[in-house]
Amino acid sequence: MAKTKVKGKDIGKEPIYDARVLGVPKMLVLGVQHTFAMFGATVLVPILTGLNMQTTLLMAGLGTLLFHLITKGKVPAFLGSSFAFLGGYGAVAPLAADGSSNTEMLPYACLGVACAGLVYLVIAGLFAIFPVEKVMKFFPPVVTGPIIIGIGLSLASSAVSNCQESWLVAIVAMAVIIVCNIFGKGMVKIIPIIFGVVVSYLLALCLGQVDFSAVKEADWFGLPISSENWVFGNVGDKSLAISAIIAIMPISIATMMEHIGDVSAISATTGKNFLADPGLKRTLVGDGIATSLSAIFGGPANTTYGENTGVLALTRVYDPKVVRIAACFAVLLSFSPKFAAFVNTMPAAVVGGVSFVLYGMISSIGVRNLVENKVDLKKARNLIITAVILVCALGIDTIDITIGKLTISLTALAIAALVGIILNAILPGNDYVFKMDNPVEQPAPEQAAETAAD
């Protein structure tokens, strides 16, 4: 049970905070922290694909708010740019030799992503038709646990790579986060990432590692969307459109497996069973519609963000309102090219130091998922499934499947998820029974209202 203070007495071990305890000012600060967590990865996708960065931020914010509306405001998930579709963009709309955007083909790629989002609705329909228990027989902890571990560890190399830009700055970022979270009191304890970013950024500034040239050239205000990037009116060749859809749509099967893993990670972090309530039928619909709408207006596919799950685990502030505040900040930032450029001056080492901790937290959540569900790794089937998932997630490069002139790219994590699900289905001994009840006891509402920071 969470640590609460009721009439001066502590109950349990770990504090869990909500809006009634923290108040508006602190919630706003926590929202900024979630914005920092998602910003680096979210803006990296448009850099790699040629999509508009402001559009990407706008659609991340609006997509997150739409997701919360569809999921009844229960799931504290942030939807940012998906990396899984990079191969699809590269196949349909590769960047020019000088790194500039392929403006002619990007709308076709976005059309393919929009159709991929619709596949989510089809799968969500299956969850609505069949009992959740039967569907979740394919997604027991022995599958989702290693997938969560793989999500964190697969991101580890990027964190280390960023840290190598300046290990001094990265270590300072990590040290500040750890010290604040372990020894801090009050707000210091629950916003360690912001302290880590600020302190390490100032150090990088003193070391001359920050470049403000892009900030000087950027405008203060600019519309985040342009009709030139929309699917409507910019897709005229039917053959190219069909090719783009065939090339990109199948990627959605793989990303849905990642979605289930992410929702499992958030459930394990918060101690609330979001697979049951509001259910995958709603989370998939929210993710799918957010992806389709984003792509239609020239943005990338959206996905639930592991970075923000790491923030949840680190701060133990699980109130979805905090994530919605971050979404509103993302929308506001999308109208300011200058601010986006300023945040983008954050040195890679700062991002690496923060990511080093967050990505590890995600993997730790996967381990906890296995332990709390008492997965018996003495059983050969469980050991084999876990081993194969981890090796696929960490040892396989992206696999390209060629169909005629089209090439479909499957990420290592997607392959790991698919292989794990298949092995779990065909190997004998699957005795997992999905429980709809909340896996971790939470404080009563009247107690939660009195929860206090250390």
Side-chain angles (χ1 to χ4, degrees):
M1 181 180 288
K3 176 181 179 183
T4 57
K5 292 187 177 179
V6 183
K7 296 182 179 180
K9 296 182 178 181
D10 293 346
I11 302 176
K13 296 181 179 180
E14 294 185 352
I16 296 176
Y17 311 95
D18 67 5
R20 291 171 294 181
V21 176
L22 298 171
V24 174
K26 294 179 180 179
M27 292 286 283
L28 290 175
V29 175
L30 290 166
V32 171
Q33 181 169 250
H34 272 281
T35 304
F36 270 112
M38 70 84 189
F39 193 91
T42 295
V43 301
L44 183 57
V45 171
I47 292 174
L48 297 176
T49 59
L51 294 169
N52 185 278
M53 186 178 299
Q54 290 177 257
T55 303
T56 299
L57 284 173
L58 176 67
M59 292 305 167
L62 294 180
T64 298
L65 294 175
L66 179 61
F67 176 87
H68 280 243
L69 177 64
I70 293 174
T71 58
K72 302 179 181 180
K74 295 182 177 182
V75 185
F78 190 95
L79 270 61
S81 306
S82 172
F83 284 80
F85 288 88
L86 290 179
Y89 281 105
V92 176
L95 295 174
D98 61 355
S100 59
S101 304
N102 189 339
T103 55
E104 181 181 354
M105 291 303 299
L106 272 177
Y108 290 92
C110 289
L111 173 63
V113 173
C115 292
L118 298 179
V119 178
Y120 281 64
L121 306 186
V122 176
I123 303 302
L126 296 178
F127 281 100
I129 295 173
F130 299 101
V132 175
E133 292 82 356
K134 289 187 177 181
V135 179
M136 289 308 299
K137 191 80 172 177
F138 294 93
F139 309 105
V142 71
V143 173
T144 57
I147 289 175
I148 297 169
I149 295 173
I151 290 174
L153 294 183
S154 65
L155 296 169
S157 60
S158 65
V160 173
S161 177
N162 286 330
C163 290
Q164 290 174 343
E165 295 292 327
S166 175
W167 275 107
L168 175 60
V169 173
I171 291 174
V172 167
M174 286 186 275
V176 171
I177 292 173
I178 293 171
V179 170
C180 289
N181 188 248
I182 299 297
F183 303 104
K185 302 293 183 181
M187 281 298 290
V188 174
K189 187 179 184 67
I190 59 178
I191 57 169
I193 295 175
I194 288 183
F195 282 103
V197 168
V198 171
V199 173
S200 58
Y201 186 92
L202 291 175
L203 174 60
L205 186 63
C206 294
L207 296 175
Q209 298 177 6
V210 182
D211 182 10
F212 292 105
S213 58
V215 179
K216 297 177 181 179
E217 299 174 359
D219 296 327
W220 280 104
F221 176 83
L223 294 177
I225 58 175
S226 172
S227 60
E228 297 178 356
N229 301 321
W230 294 1
V231 170
F232 300 116
N234 294 302
V235 175
D237 191 316
K238 293 183 179 179
S239 61
L240 288 177
I242 294 174
S243 297
I245 292 172
I246 294 175
I248 295 179
M249 183 183 283
I251 299 175
S252 63
I253 301 298
T255 56
M256 279 186 287
M257 299 303 101
E258 296 182 13
H259 171 94
I260 293 173
D262 287 336
V263 175
S264 298
I266 297 173
S267 297
T269 301
T270 63
K272 295 183 179 180
N273 199 334
F274 296 125
L275 298 174
D277 182 24
L280 285 172
K281 61 180 180 293
R282 283 186 174 272
T283 63
L284 284 170
V285 168
D287 201 341
I289 293 180
T291 290
S292 294
L293 288 179
S294 174
I296 286 174
F297 291 100
N302 282 333
T303 187
T304 46
Y305 252 30
E307 289 87 341
N308 295 85
T309 302
V311 174
L312 294 174
L314 196 62
T315 64
R316 295 192 295 276
V317 177
Y318 306 146
D319 197 322
K321 293 186 182 69
V322 175
V323 180
R324 292 196 285 272
I325 290 172
C328 292
F329 278 129
V331 172
L332 291 175
L333 293 178
S334 70
F335 286 88
S336 178
K338 186 174 288 292
F339 188 84
F342 173 76
V343 177
N344 215 23
T345 63
M346 188 181 304
V350 175
V351 177
V354 173
S355 300
F356 201 100
V357 177
L358 293 184
Y359 296 162
M361 293 293 292
I362 296 170
S363 295
S364 298
I365 291 167
V367 174
R368 194 179 79 182
N369 192 25
L370 290 171
V371 173
E372 289 183 347
N373 286 281
K374 300 179 180 179
V375 176
D376 188 1
L377 292 180
K378 293 181 180 179
K379 291 184 177 180
R381 77 176 307 274
N382 293 342
L383 194 61
I384 289 173
I385 292 172
T386 301
V388 171
I389 289 176
L390 291 177
V391 171
C392 287
L394 304 178
I396 295 179
D397 292 327
T398 300
I399 293 180
D400 295 331
I401 301 175
T402 302
I403 304 176
K405 296 182 179 181
L406 300 175
T407 300
I408 301 173
S409 297
L410 293 178
T411 64
L413 187 59
I415 295 169
L418 292 172
V419 171
I421 291 170
I422 293 172
L423 282 177
N424 176 70
I426 63 177
L427 292 180
N430 184 5
D431 55 0
Y432 174 66
V433 178
F434 181 72
K435 297 180 180 180
M436 300 293 288
D437 58 323
N438 197 354
V440 177
E441 187 179 4
Q442 297 295 314
E446 63 272 12
Q447 295 176 346
E450 298 177 13
T451 301
D454 287 342

